[in-house]
Amino acid sequence: MSQFAQSLSNGKLGRRELIKRFGISAVAASGLFGASKNAYAKSAPHVVVLGGGVGGSTFAKYLRFADSDVKITIIEQYPEYITCLRSNDVIVGYHTLDELTFNLDTVQSKYQVNVIIDKAIGADFDKKTVTTAKGQVIAYDKLVVSPGIDFKFEDYEGHSKELAETKIFHGYKAGPQTLALREQLLSVPKGGTAIIAPPQNPFRCPPGPYERASFFAEYFQKHNPTAKVIVLDPKDRFTKDGPFKKAWERLYGYQTDNSLIEWVSGSDGGRVLSVDGKNNSVETMAGTFKADMINLIPNQRAGKLAQILGLTDASGWCPIDRFTFESSLQKEVYVLGDSTIADAMPKSGYSANSQAKVCAQAVADTLRDRPLTKSVYANVCYSLAGDNYGVSIAAIYEVRDGLIQPKGKSEGVSPITDKPAQPILEAVYQKNWQREFVKDVFS
Amino acid sequence: MQTSPLKTLIAAVSLMAATHAHAEPQMATGQAMAWQCAPCHGVNGQEFSEAMPPLAGMPVKQFMDAMLAYREGTRPAVIMDRVARGFTDEELNAMAQWFAKQPIKPWEQTTLQESLSAQQAGAQAAGEKQ
Ligand SMILES: Cc1cc2nc3c(=O)[nH]c(=O)nc-3n(C[C@H](O)[C@H](O)[C@H](O)COP(=O)(O)OP(=O)(O)OC[C@H]3O[C@@H](n4cnc5c(N)ncnc54)[C@H](O)[C@@H]3O)c2cc1C
């Protein structure tokens, strides 16, 4: 037992004395608030978090690390959270949705976070209150918003929310969408075609559509070898395109006559202009494509809640202070994750988790009038180009010239080598990462 | 790579001028940087049953030797060479001091209280406030 813990258990030091020696957080953490279930004092500031996904849940946990004497409440609309991470695996049967389903129970019990299952529908920034669908009005000292993304169906003629829920699925929020895509994939007839149409930048999980294309190809290779995946892309480049295309060459005959994947770039007319749900076809600059399934992943903007709260700018995303993730449009309101304009950081779970930690420290320091420390962020996106073939992109980030930029010479994608062990190891690490990541977020 | 103190000062001053809302501090805390490693190495480096090795309780010298070798490219790596190139010697040292103080046991078996004490000990070892 440390000397600190010993003095505490002997009850030798008074609270005032403890605060003087160890700071307020140490005292609160020691359970000196008697039999009270909560570590924090009644007068503790209240930090309210809207959205208990990757950003929101990580934030609540790490705010507890940064300050034990603060009241934390998460308002999340659903009792369970299904991770998008590895949801591509569910489409091809490498994972089940159950394995990707989590809740906020541990965050609530271990980190003393109040969890309210309800939908946030508005806020009064002058009165500093949040309103929920069930009619609760909750007061905050600091508000944190991490609502994910929203889709721009209107960018495609003939497309709609209804069509996206009945036939032309996106599979970009995990759950029923994921299972619907699985059903469609399994129903592609012999020699059939699956279309994947990725969105314009910026969008959630930049490697997601290309990992999905790889998985579809791998699935066809095993179960339907004359079928084919066509990627209709509005862009000429995509993240990790070097390692992805190399993997496609090695695994799926990419750029041969028998290739299981065909990728149509923006310059070659790949951008989807309109969708015909009845005929299962899409119109592009390069002509009409008919397919047995169409996975159109629409262009995106910040989550609806961020729009309702007026936290978005003309770009549709939320501008933030690069050091703290405080909204540039609303004082004492912080935005995290996919909804934000975070410059070089991609819209990934890793980024949301990283930003949440920096923000938690900044909120704690601000509440205690402590000077802020420098902000360092990280992101690593692992993808599978096949069940046993991993590719990655990584960087550490700092704020330079007013923008979040890669720090040092950290930025880089998997090198393309002749070593067969490299992609196999990356696949092992990828699976390791996913298990570790959800623990960091939810437990 | 170590930046010279003068360069750091100039950079800090120009940043302050650019953003003025914040007096840009010199360095992130060891703790704040170490938290960024959790998605791979476990919460506070306390994952002991995966391919990515644990960092909790690692002796400072072992940590520094590994990170410097990754950064200079003298130790084979799949991902850590990229990660290590993001940090200066000073930053690596702050993380090394912090990780050395984290308990050598799985996160699931560590109480919040226990961890808060260990994190505070880490911050003190790294010579930081708290
Ligand atoms: C197919 C796919 C694969 C992916 N794979 C990876 C990967 O391997 N690695 C990686 O790092 N990232 C991956 N991602 C990206 C990752 O899922 C997101 O970047 C991450 O979830 C963003 O976190 P967030 O907090 O911004 O949003 P979310 O995690 O979506 O959380 C938003 C939360 O807010 C809640 N919410 C929204 N509105 C309200 C409201 N009004 N009231 C209450 N609650 C509300 C939602 O219910 C949700 O729980 C993948 C994404 C996809 C689509």
Side-chain angles (χ1 to χ4, degrees):
Chain A
M1 200 187 261
S2 73
Q3 203 189 337
F4 172 47
Q6 223 153 36
S7 320
L8 280 179
S9 62
N10 297 343
K12 267 192 203 145
L13 300 175
R15 180 175 153 81
R16 189 170 292 273
E17 183 61 20
L18 278 170
I19 293 176
K20 219 163 67 195
R21 288 206 199 174
F22 300 109
I24 186 101
S25 28
V27 178
S30 67
L32 286 190
F33 292 111
S36 149
K37 173 160 115 337
N38 299 320
Y40 49 85
K42 273 225 166 64
S43 60
H46 191 197
V47 179
V48 174
V49 185
L50 306 183
V54 173
S57 181
T58 306
F59 174 88
K61 170 177 173 176
Y62 279 80
L63 180 59
R64 180 58 74 224
F65 283 177
D67 192 336
S68 45
D69 194 19
V70 57
K71 185 178 173 193
I72 309 169
T73 299
I74 295 180
I75 303 177
E76 162 59 47
Q77 59 185 337
Y78 302 123
E80 286 184 327
Y81 179 86
I82 303 173
T83 67
C84 285
L85 323 173
R86 307 302 359 118
S87 63
N88 283 340
D89 301 48
V90 174
I91 303 174
V92 292
Y94 297 148
H95 267 299
T96 63
L97 269 193
D98 275 357
E99 291 168 322
L100 307 184
T101 304
F102 299 87
N103 61 47
L104 296 168
D105 289 356
T106 308
V107 172
Q108 179 166 29
S109 58
K110 188 162 183 171
Y111 307 109
Q112 290 148 354
V113 172
N114 306 306
V115 175
I116 298 175
I117 303 300
D118 200 348
K119 186 171 179 171
I121 56 169
D124 183 328
F125 294 130
D126 294 328
K127 293 202 182 109
K128 295 173 93 173
T129 56
V130 175
T131 321
T132 71
K134 289 183 191 155
Q136 302 191 70
V137 179
I138 295 153
Y140 66 83
D141 293 292
K142 302 275 180 197
L143 187 65
V144 178
V145 188
S146 193
I149 52 157
D150 184 32
F151 298 107
K152 294 160 89 170
F153 299 115
E154 70 274 16
D155 281 5
Y156 311 85
E157 204 190 313
H159 204 21
S160 64
K161 186 164 182 284
E162 291 65 48
L163 190 55
E165 278 163 6
T166 49
K167 189 149 189 204
I168 310 289
F169 302 105
H170 50 73
Y172 243 56
K173 289 187 183 176
Q177 285 274 333
T178 317
L179 297 177
L181 283 177
R182 172 162 175 75
E183 211 165 285
Q184 286 185 335
L185 182 71
L186 267 50
S187 311
V188 170
K190 290 268 163 293
T193 311
I195 284 177
I196 297 178
Q200 282 290 6
N201 292 326
F203 64 101
R204 157 179 283 186
C205 193
Y210 311 96
E211 176 181 83
R212 192 175 282 174
S214 312
F215 277 177
F216 281 20
E218 188 169 52
Y219 176 84
F220 287 151
Q221 195 168 51
K222 287 183 203 154
H223 304 285
N224 189 353
T226 50
K228 195 168 164 172
V229 190
I230 301 176
V231 183
L232 297 175
D233 209 324
K235 309 180 293 296
D236 285 342
R237 299 285 316 259
F238 57 89
T239 181
K240 297 183 266 195
D241 51 4
F244 261 120
K245 286 178 181 169
K246 178 51 86 179
W248 292 350
E249 279 170 27
R250 287 172 173 168
L251 302 171
Y252 313 122
Y254 184 60
Q255 277 173 342
T256 67
D257 290 344
N258 299 323
S259 179
L260 286 150
I261 298 184
E262 188 188 330
W263 175 68
V264 185
S265 70
S267 296
D268 288 338
R271 183 160 79 89
V272 171
L273 305 170
S274 68
V275 187
D276 182 340
K278 278 206 193 73
N279 290 314
N280 239 4
S281 68
V282 294
E283 192 82 48
T284 70
M285 303 292 274
T288 304
F289 288 79
K290 204 169 151 44
D292 298 291
M293 70 179 286
I294 298 169
N295 171 213
L296 172 64
I297 305 165
N299 295 337
Q300 297 163 21
R301 62 187 155 221
K304 274 229 167 61
L305 181 61
Q307 300 168 43
I308 293 169
L309 298 183
L311 300 172
T312 51
D313 69 11
S315 71
W317 302 99
C318 302
I320 45 88
D321 176 308
R322 270 80 179 174
F323 294 96
T324 61
F325 277 69
E326 184 172 15
S327 164
S328 317
L329 303 175
Q330 201 60 57
K331 280 245 145 288
E332 313 214 73
V333 178
Y334 297 75
V335 190
L336 299 172
D338 288 352
S339 280
T340 63
I341 300 171
D343 310 321
M345 290 186 88
K347 298 189 186 302
S348 71
Y350 201 125
S351 292
N353 170 278
S354 167
Q355 295 158 2
K357 291 168 182 175
V358 171
C359 180
Q361 187 63 54
V363 166
D365 288 341
T366 306
L367 285 171
R368 301 284 164 215
D369 281 327
R370 291 188 297 244
L372 297 178
T373 52
K374 191 173 154 175
S375 307
V376 171
Y377 305 94
N379 177 67
V380 179
C381 288
Y382 279 110
S383 305
L384 295 176
D387 188 31
N388 214 3
Y389 193 113
V391 296
S392 62
I393 181 165
I396 306 297
Y397 299 89
E398 66 184 341
V399 185
R400 228 174 34 249
D401 306 325
L403 295 174
I404 302 178
Q405 303 193 47
K407 184 173 184 308
K409 295 207 159 47
S410 57
E411 189 182 36
V413 298
S414 309
I416 295 170
T417 68
D418 295 333
K419 292 182 221 146
Q422 151 106 16
I424 297 173
L425 267 176
E426 293 225 81
V428 169
Y429 287 147
Q430 190 283 331
K431 293 166 192 179
N432 178 162
W433 174 86
Q434 185 264 344
R435 289 187 294 269
E436 223 43 60
F437 180 74
V438 292
K439 278 196 209 171
D440 191 34
V441 175
F442 293 108
S443 52
Chain B
M1 242 55 38
Q2 279 284 56
T3 8
S4 80
L6 183 62
K7 258 199 200 147
T8 315
L9 189 68
I10 293 170
V13 169
S14 56
L15 234 175
M16 267 195 276
T19 60
H20 66 85
H22 301 272
E24 169 69 341
Q26 300 294 301
M27 205 176 96
T29 63
Q31 173 170 294
M33 290 183 288
W35 283 351
Q36 298 288 332
C37 319
C40 292
H41 291 284
V43 181
N44 299 343
Q46 293 176 249
E47 176 58 67
F48 294 83
S49 52
E50 289 280 4
M52 292 166 175
L55 302 177
M58 183 180 284
V60 169
K61 183 170 185 309
Q62 191 185 332
F63 181 99
M64 289 303 288
D65 286 350
M67 293 300 281
L68 293 171
Y70 286 137
R71 200 179 66 189
E72 306 314 325
T74 54
R75 179 171 166 173
V78 177
I79 186 83
M80 278 309 297
D81 48 345
R82 286 177 264 167
V83 173
R85 287 198 297 267
F87 296 99
T88 64
D89 290 3
E90 241 183 318
E91 289 168 331
L92 291 177
N93 182 56
M95 282 192 278
Q97 302 290 345
W98 189 87
F99 274 120
K101 297 290 184 198
Q102 304 314 304
I104 306 184
K105 64 176 181 180
W107 177 249
E108 292 80 350
Q109 293 165 24
T110 310
T111 65
L112 176 63
Q113 250 78 326
E114 221 177 327
S115 176
L116 290 177
S117 306
Q119 295 194 52
Q120 190 170 353
Q124 273 159 4
E128 290 150 9
K129 59 163 177 109
Q130 297 223 358

